[in-house]
Amino acid sequence: MKEKISGADALIRSLICEGTDLVFGYPGGSIIPVYDRLYDYQDRLKHILVRHEQGATHAAQGYARVTGRPGVVIVTSGPAATNIITGVGDALMDSTPLVVITGQVATPFLGFDAFQETDVVGITQPLSKWSYQIRRAEDIPRAVARAFYIASNGRPGPVVLDLTKDAQTGLMEFEYEKCNFIRSYNPYPEINKADVAKVADLINAAERPMILSGHGVMISGAEKELAALAEKADIPVAATLLGLSTMPSDHPLYKGMLGMHGNIGPNVNTNRADLLIAVGMRFDDRITGNVKTYAPNAKIVHIDIDSSEFDKNIATDATIHGDARQALEALLPLVDKRKHSEWLSLFDEPARVEFEKVVKREVYPSGAKMTMGEVVNKVSEATGNRAIVVTDVGQNQMFSARYSRFTEPRSMVTSGGLGTMGFGLPAAIGAKMGAPDRTVCFFTGDGGLQMTIQELGTILEYHTDVKIILLNNNFLGNVRQWQSLFFHDRFSQTPLINPDFVMIANAYGIAAENVETRDTLAAAIERMVNHDGAYLLNVNIDETDMIFPMTPAGANVDHIMLTPDECYPID
């Protein structure tokens, strides 16, 4: 006769069977049975006690993004379950695998407004790949197995398991079988050879092709195949925000970032290209600008594992439905070896103008006050361009994306689709725990940091070596920029009266210093990088600093502002 164990015990054993070594969470009444059993598994399953449930989800996202494995979260019911909603929604938008387990009141109390009862399944269904309530102990192993399979396979995303208290305390005979198939779910469709041949013909016929590298390249581990395709056919590559680090920044065919604050060359040449090859990206509005005028001369190839993205925003001429790495592997033998020297030369003049008009002003400023661009650039240099870059959301995010350079894959962790302020600090903690041998540099603003600043307590407890670079302009900088450019300098509710961040960091046992002037910046960065442990630099930034180039929302993708008063010339 098999041993009978509690549902709580079965949950923990199931997580271990899935290879989980780390969970992020916060205990409470409706999940106490699980935490009680967790006490006996501390040598096999490490639990990270965050300071807020939202922090647990973002930390799990950071862990998942650098490891490629699902991040696991355990919280209680009621307000804890509602606190995870932002992270679940963020993970869905950015295709990040999470398994989130919420406690729930006992089954007899469901639907009676019991203390700390919320309809978790009803709330999370629109924001997750799968949301399921477990009411019996014997259903736990199968539900966990399905959760990991759904979260990890196909287009990754978050799964929510709502676990009633009586399911945790009930007894069952434990047996675990990993899930490798769900009849109604086909995560890896077979690559259609005719579709591949059609795409190869389009690539071979193109004179001005460009590859758009998205997050799906990173998710599928297709970085080598991406480079091989680009090199064989001599095709320039541009990356989305979440596609950064899918190609080394110094690769001769890498031409920079796409989008609202991307590099001039990729954006202006989008409308000169005769073929766009989109790999694992979704033609977000921040990439396309005005969809009616987007890439008017180009045929569109779209490669994605999620067919619902095809023709959703931009009409396609050919598609490959499948995993990015498998699709690129199938394409490579059919693509001709080509040279596109004349086409590639069209990226030179935009790059020159961008350097003269934008980069010099940002990275090598002549003014008295420091800029975000110069700080990011110096940090990237000091880490040998090998750090994992984690950002919050706002100007700090865009400057970090533009002026960080990448030599290794999975080096950019940021909130893309949802744009969640407060994402960065817990995500940096999770990233460091997922990649303990790599340097993690977290760039943030004074607004975003204060949204999840309590997670400094998590750094304190677990001695997490995160380098925090606070680009402090005493403003909600991104909103301020829009107010300046489009709302006549009416700075409504964007100035911030800030605390002493160095004192706060020190109170949490974190080394910190203020950087007030440019002549002290390089030495401060050196101290931070060489310090054994967490470190915070509070850098005094010019409050008028703006992130350029900029394509205004809804404008044509080649309408590119260099300053508030000057645009890039269009032929």
Side-chain angles (χ1 to χ4, degrees), residues 65 90 94 241-242 244 257 260-261 286 372 376 389-404 406 412-424 442-446 448 469 471 477-478 547:
R65 295 272 281 274
D90 195 287
D94 287 350
L241 176 64
L242 294 185
L244 292 173
M257 185 174 72
M260 178 177 281
H261 293 294
R286 291 295 174 99
M372 296 189 190
V376 173
V389 175
V390 184
T391 85
D392 213 89
V393 169
Q395 286 180 319
N396 67 87
Q397 178 185 37
M398 293 296 103
F399 276 110
S400 300
R402 282 183 53 79
Y403 296 114
S404 295
F406 303 102
M412 182 63 168
V413 179
T414 192
S415 172
L418 202 60
T420 304
M421 288 181 69
F423 169 89
F442 163 47
F443 293 94
T444 185
D446 38 317
I469 303 95
L471 303 172
N478 210 39
I547 176 71

Side-chain angles (χ1 to χ4, degrees), residues 361-363 365 367-379 395-397 399-400 403 443-447 469-478 480-481 496 498 501 513-518 520-521 525 537-547:
R361 184 177 68 235
E362 277 298 334
V363 177
K369 295 184 177 180
M370 284 180 286
T371 65
M372 296 189 190
E374 69 174 310
V375 178
V376 173
N377 180 66
K378 282 184 166 60
V379 171
Q395 286 180 319
N396 67 87
Q397 178 185 37
F399 276 110
S400 300
Y403 296 114
F443 293 94
T444 185
D446 38 317
I469 303 95
L470 172 54
L471 303 172
N472 188 348
N473 58 7
N474 296 292
F475 260 93
L476 299 177
N478 210 39
R480 183 195 186 281
Q481 176 165 336
L496 293 175
N498 283 321
F501 290 106
E513 63 179 296
N514 291 309
V515 184
E516 303 286 350
T517 58
R518 179 171 293 116
T520 63
L521 177 62
I525 291 172
L537 289 186
N538 178 42
V539 187
N540 181 34
I541 297 295
D542 183 356
E543 67 183 32
T544 66
D545 195 14
M546 294 191 193
I547 176 71

Side-chain angles (χ1 to χ4, degrees), residues 87 239 266 295 316 402 460:
T316 59
R402 282 183 53 79
L460 168 66

